[in-house]
Amino acid sequence: MSRFHFPAWINPLLPAVAGFLGIGALYYTGLFAYGVHPLTSDVGYRPEQPVPFSHALHAGELKMDCRYCHNTVEYAAKAAIPPVGTCLNCHQGVDKEGQSPTVAIHVNSNRLAPIREAAVTGNSVLWRKVHDLPDYAYFNHSAHVTRGVSCVSCHGRVDRMEVVEQKATLSMGFCLTCHRNPEPSLRPIDEVTNLAWEPSEGQEDIGAEIAASLKIHPNENCSTCHR
């Protein structure tokens, strides 16, 4: 049998084909780099808020439990943004100047003006969302925190942040890594909001024990998050 030979008229097209393949390679390389870049996933995003609320002070120094403000985190999909009334439970009345600087409660500070205004008008304080998942992704806080997944796993040590910023990519790969191997992220349920908690023994052993006792078998089906 005679070997097949491409006709000679194809030769002038070869540079164009090579150029097309090269452009394609550059395009997909750039697309991948853009997809994994921190700016794309909002890692490091820390918007300025209408009230300079310090998590380092409230959750860190004062040891306030996350659930005092985010009071639906154990029962609902969303963690809830505290209403003005929650702030005023502490920041109302008169300035308490006789206490240590850590626990002195100032109610007349200009920083609290948006809180006072919202209390008078009945409007909400327009807090800016930091961790904002796309609309096509469903996440249920209660399903995680009631199974031993701490706030730290997704949000980092917010008790050390003056201004909260996004620490994790919160990408599909980030979620699937945990669903495929949840043990490193599990802790005793009563320690979920103790952001400083450290395991007294091997984390894998603790995580495996919790996973077995609570029958944790995270689903990897697309419909789990894309509903």
Side-chain angles (χ1 to χ4, degrees):
M1 293 180 61
S2 60
R3 297 179 60 186
F4 173 79
H5 295 277
F6 284 98
W9 60 266
I10 290 181
N11 293 339
L13 299 177
L14 293 180
V17 173
F20 178 79
L21 293 176
I23 292 173
L26 288 174
Y27 172 78
Y28 285 107
T29 300
L31 187 64
F32 176 79
Y34 175 77
V36 300
H37 196 279
L39 290 178
T40 305
S41 59
D42 285 335
V43 171
Y45 177 58
R46 46 184 299 176
E48 183 178 347
Q49 300 290 354
V51 178
F53 181 89
S54 170
H55 279 76
L57 171 61
H58 292 78
E61 291 186 56
L62 300 181
K63 307 299 182 185
M64 290 178 62
D65 192 293
C66 309
R67 293 166 293 188
Y68 181 75
C69 296
H70 304 291
N71 56 12
T72 64
V73 71
E74 296 177 292
Y75 314 105
K78 298 184 181 299
I81 296 174
V84 170
T86 299
C87 305
L88 293 180
N89 285 340
C90 296
H91 295 283
Q92 66 179 343
V94 296
D95 281 359
K96 301 176 182 179
E97 295 286 2
Q99 303 174 27
S100 68
T102 299
V103 297
I105 299 174
H106 300 284
V107 298
N108 297 317
S109 170
N110 289 333
R111 294 183 175 187
L112 294 171
I115 299 292
R116 294 194 295 267
E117 180 182 348
V120 172
T121 63
N123 296 325
S124 300
V125 176
L126 299 179
W127 299 100
R128 295 178 176 87
K129 197 168 187 178
V130 179
H131 304 87
D132 191 11
L133 293 180
D135 292 341
Y136 54 77
Y138 174 77
F139 179 85
N140 188 312
H141 277 84
S142 66
H144 291 76
V145 300
T146 57
R147 296 297 185 276
V149 179
S150 174
C151 317
V152 174
S153 298
C154 298
H155 300 300
R157 290 296 301 273
V158 294
D159 58 322
R160 296 175 177 173
M161 300 181 193
E162 282 295 330
V163 180
V164 171
E165 66 177 78
Q166 182 172 323
K167 287 294 187 181
T169 63
L170 306 182
S171 64
M172 184 169 69
F174 174 81
C175 298
L176 282 174
T177 296
C178 188
H179 273 227
R180 290 166 178 163
N181 183 31
E183 285 80 6
S185 300
L186 299 178
R187 62 173 66 186
I189 294 176
D190 57 357
E191 300 289 356
V192 164
T193 58
N194 176 10
L195 307 187
W197 180 84
E198 294 290 342
S200 58
E201 53 185 283
Q203 173 60 44
E204 288 293 337
D205 295 334
I206 294 175
E209 182 179 342
I210 294 172
S213 63
L214 296 179
K215 298 181 173 57
I216 296 176
H217 304 287
N219 201 333
E220 297 177 39
N221 190 283
C222 304
S223 62
T224 303
C225 301
H226 303 296
R227 303 183 177 185

